[in-house]
């Protein structure tokens, strides 16, 4: 992100921002939450959160970053020197780091599944002329993910890959690669959706995902949907503030926010259209539906139905692994840039300081899926605790602070000037956005959090 040329083209800028947004959040996290929060009811609240909260907050972060011209903490300091509002950015950076520690583990799973698809181990009974059922895919998942050692190896490999890329300066190459692979991932998803929809009993799954049952909507569903919207759009973590500081002066921020959010939401919805018909078709129920299983059991089952399934599997997990890698790099970059700027660390020292603790933190998260699973903190495994606290509490709080800051604290014309590019673009949405950012978003987010806690 250190090279301004990177955002020389409009497509490059949108692609890079979409690259940050689209990741495991859409492909792995979204289906899990939709599954456990009532399917279509969750989808509906999630879509509402993207429109009412996500897009305006994204415009606020873009304005803050481009106008402030620095990282998540520095931008606040540049706009209002001497005030303590930079702490909002600091909460975001901390949240992104907590997220990174378990995100790296899931990134490791995608690497392991890529590898096991290549070796064929994931599909051995089939390649040996047999068939595969849920139980076999479940036992593969247990071996690859729940087992203590296998996932650690792959998580470590991902951390090392991050080191190499962030230090070696091949970052732009990786980002370019991701800009090619992302559209390809999109095409793959369309093909998989076609296959999934043609499975027997696909309608039942589709109806679970698309026909809302409002009686299922409660405070937990709403808080999960809101957290997912922020997570998926990379909001409240200082990432988009940092990214937008590289945007050119003539970028139309409102349009960029809408485009990025729509693309991100589309990927999530497509994943739902792929996963849920497959779930009903293969008759998965109960335990096998929890956590990781949707992407790591259900999808391999879909691939096994397709001609050349192993190739599809390799392609999918490889693309997903690259998407995860570009996300881990961008999350780590925020902390690294912060360490370099504010503690005057060298690049090497900052990379070590940020990435080395992950060997321990990510290992603990990984083990909490296996033998440390019975160790519960407030009723959660460490993995789930990190996920819940960062996503459902810290991201919303950081977003409330960003809204209050842009709506009330920053100089009066600042937000308007950013959205209208100093009056050169007529921004019809400005009044609505300002109203949402000033009143609706902070009150709504705060009420959702309160309702969730007093419940
Ligand atoms: N938005 C990304 C996703 O949905 C996650 C992410 C978070 C990426 C923070 C970058 C930074 O997977």
């Amino acid at each position: 992100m250190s090279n301004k040329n990177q955002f020389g083209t409009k497509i490059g800028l949108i692609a890079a921002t979409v690259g940050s947004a689209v990741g495991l959040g859409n492909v792995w996290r979204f289906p899990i939450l939709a599954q456990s929060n009532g399917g279509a009811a969750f989808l509906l609240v999630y879509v509402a959160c993207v429109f009412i909260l996500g897009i305006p907050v994204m415009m606020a972060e873009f304005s803050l970053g481009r106008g402030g011209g620095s990282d998540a903490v520095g931008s606040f300091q540049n706009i209002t020197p001497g005030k303590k509002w930079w702490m909002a950015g600091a909460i975001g950076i901390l949240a992104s780091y907590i997220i990174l520690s378990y995100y790296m583990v899931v990134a490791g799973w995608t690497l392991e599944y890529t590898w096991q698809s290549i070796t064929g181990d994931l599909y051995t009974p089939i390649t040996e002329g047999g068939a595969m059922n849920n139980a076999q895919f479940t036992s593969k998942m247990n071996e690859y993910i729940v087992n203590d050692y296998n996932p650690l190896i792959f998580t470590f490999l991902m951390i090392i890959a991050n080191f190499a890329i962030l230090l070696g300066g091949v970052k732009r190459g990786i980002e370019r690669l991701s800009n090619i692979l992302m559209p390809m991932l999109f095409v793959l998803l369309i093909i998989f959706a076609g296959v999934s929809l043609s499975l027997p009993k696909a309608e039942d799954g589709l109806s679970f995902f698309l026909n809302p049952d409002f009686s299922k909507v409660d405070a937990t569903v709403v808080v999960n949907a809101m957290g997912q919207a922020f997570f998926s759009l990379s909001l409240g973590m200082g990432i988009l503030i940092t990214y937008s500081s590289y945007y050119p002066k003539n970028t139309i921020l409102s349009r960029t926010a809408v485009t990025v959010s729509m693309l991100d939401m589309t990927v999530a919805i497509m994943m739902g259209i792929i996963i849920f018909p497959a779930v009903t078709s293969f008759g998965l129920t109960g335990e096998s539906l929890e956590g990781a299983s949707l992407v790591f059991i259900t999808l391999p089952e879909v691939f096994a139905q397709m001609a050349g399934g192993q190739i599809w599997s390799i392609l999918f997990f490889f693309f997903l692994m690259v998407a995860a890698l570009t996300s881990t790099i961008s999350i780590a970059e925020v902390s690294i840039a912060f360490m370099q700027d504010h503690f005057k660390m060298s690049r090497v020292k900052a990379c070590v300081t940020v990435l080395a603790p992950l060997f321990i933190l990510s290992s603990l998260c990984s083990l909490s899926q296996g033998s440390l699973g019975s160790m519960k903190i407030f009723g959660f495994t460490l993995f789930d605790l990190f996920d819940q606290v960062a996503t459902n509490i810290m991201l919303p709080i950081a977003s409330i602070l960003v809204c209050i800051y842009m709506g009330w604290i920053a100089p009066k014309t600042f937000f308007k000037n950013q959205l209208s590019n100093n009056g050169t673009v007529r921004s019809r949405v400005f009044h609505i956005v300002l109203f949402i950012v000033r009143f609706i978003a902070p009150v709504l987010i705060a009420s959702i959090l309160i309702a969730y806690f007093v419940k």
Side-chain angles (χ1 to χ4, degrees):
M1 298 311 309
S2 51
N3 191 330
K4 299 210 174 208
N5 294 331
Q6 186 165 4
F7 288 139
T9 66
K10 204 166 128 193
I11 291 294
L13 156 158
I14 292 182
T17 312
V18 173
S20 163
V22 174
L24 295 170
N26 314 58
V27 175
W28 161 77
R29 199 176 187 280
F30 174 81
I32 295 176
L33 287 180
Q35 168 69 36
S36 56
N37 287 280
F42 176 84
L43 175 64
L44 197 81
V45 183
Y46 164 77
V47 170
C49 285
V50 169
F51 279 97
I52 302 171
L53 300 174
I55 295 177
V57 173
M58 190 179 283
M59 290 184 198
E61 287 206 14
F62 281 167
S63 303
L64 215 158
R66 190 178 62 177
S70 181
D71 61 69
V73 164
S75 291
F76 286 95
Q77 290 171 330
N78 287 348
I79 300 169
T80 44
K83 295 216 169 125
K84 291 249 182 318
W85 281 87
W86 56 266
M87 288 171 102
I91 295 177
I93 295 180
L94 186 63
S96 78
Y97 194 77
I98 295 175
I99 288 174
L100 181 61
S101 63
Y102 68 83
Y103 202 94
M104 198 63 94
V105 175
V106 185
W109 298 345
T110 63
L111 178 62
E112 171 147 31
Y113 269 72
T114 307
W115 175 242
Q116 302 293 3
S117 302
I118 294 173
T119 65
D121 188 65
L122 178 57
Y123 299 99
T124 6
I126 300 181
T127 34
E128 286 168 359
M132 284 191 89
N133 56 30
N134 290 334
Q136 285 164 315
F137 278 114
T138 308
S139 80
K140 293 280 180 195
M141 187 188 80
N142 287 338
E143 184 189 327
Y144 300 154
I145 289 181
V146 184
N147 173 302
D148 283 347
Y149 301 107
N150 287 341
L152 280 190
I153 299 169
F154 289 93
T155 302
F156 287 178
L157 285 175
M158 284 310 262
I159 300 175
I160 292 166
N162 271 270
F163 255 121
I165 293 165
L166 286 160
L167 265 184
V170 284
K171 217 166 130 259
R172 288 187 62 197
I174 287 284
E175 269 159 14
R176 244 182 249 142
L177 180 71
S178 132
N179 291 349
I180 302 166
L181 293 187
M182 283 292 184
M184 286 168 71
L185 180 66
F186 208 76
V187 174
L188 273 192
L189 294 184
I190 295 176
I191 297 172
F192 296 160
V195 173
S196 202
L197 287 174
S198 63
L199 291 169
K201 292 216 235 111
E203 325 74 69
D204 297 350
L206 203 60
S207 130
F208 169 76
F209 184 55
L210 296 178
N211 287 341
D213 170 1
F214 291 101
S215 66
K216 297 239 173 74
V217 179
D218 62 10
T220 310
V221 171
V222 177
V223 96
N224 280 323
M226 176 174 75
Q228 174 62 18
F230 289 136
F231 184 101
S232 190
L233 296 171
S234 303
L235 290 173
M237 347 191 179
I239 301 216
L240 295 185
I241 299 178
T242 313
Y243 266 54
S244 54
S245 68
Y246 302 103
Y247 283 3
K249 293 276 160 273
N250 61 358
T251 301
I252 300 177
L253 298 179
S254 51
R255 200 178 290 166
T256 308
V258 172
T259 312
V260 171
S261 304
M262 291 301 111
L263 284 172
D264 185 74
M265 199 173 72
T266 309
V267 174
I269 294 176
M270 296 232 320
M271 277 310 293
I273 294 178
I274 295 170
I275 295 261
F276 294 109
V279 167
T280 47
S281 183
F282 299 125
L284 297 170
T285 46
E287 234 176 79
S288 60
L289 279 181
E290 277 164 23
S293 62
L294 288 170
V295 164
F296 296 100
I297 294 180
T298 313
L299 276 184
E301 292 211 61
V302 175
F303 302 146
Q305 302 289 314
M306 299 169 73
Q310 192 179 349
I311 307 279
W312 295 112
S313 182
I314 296 172
L315 286 176
F316 174 79
F317 285 113
F318 177 70
F319 290 180
L320 187 58
M321 190 267 294
V322 175
L325 193 59
T326 55
S327 291
T328 54
I329 293 170
S330 74
I331 310 177
E333 177 71 24
V334 171
S335 299
I336 291 170
F338 173 76
M339 293 287 175
Q340 282 185 284
D341 289 352
H342 294 268
F343 297 107
K344 302 280 166 269
M345 284 186 188
S346 68
R347 179 81 184 168
V348 180
K349 203 167 165 199
C351 284
V352 173
T353 312
V354 168
L355 290 170
L358 291 178
F359 282 105
I360 296 171
L361 281 175
S362 299
S363 295
L364 291 174
C365 287
S366 178
L367 289 171
S368 80
Q369 299 287 109
S371 56
L372 293 185
S374 54
M375 201 185 79
K376 295 275 175 17
I377 311 160
F378 302 118
F380 293 108
T381 61
L382 186 71
F383 187 111
D384 290 338
L385 183 77
F386 276 6
D387 183 48
Q388 292 286 317
V389 171
T391 309
N392 286 354
I393 301 172
M394 294 176 78
L395 301 186
I397 289 178
S399 302
I400 294 178
L401 294 175
V402 164
C403 288
I404 297 179
Y405 184 78
M406 291 305 282
W408 304 95
I409 309 290
K412 242 198 161 100
T413 52
F414 180 82
F415 196 11
K416 184 169 186 171
N417 286 343
Q418 284 301 323
L419 278 189
S420 67
N421 292 350
N422 290 320
T424 55
V425 183
R426 259 197 47 223
S427 184
R428 271 166 291 146
V429 292
F430 178 71
H431 293 291
I432 307 171
V433 173
L434 186 64
F435 186 73
I436 294 181
V437 167
R438 281 190 145 173
F439 300 100
I440 311 236
V443 173
L444 193 59
I445 301 172
S447 325
I448 294 172
L449 280 179
I450 292 167
Y452 175 64
F453 278 111
V454 299
K455 188 181 70 117

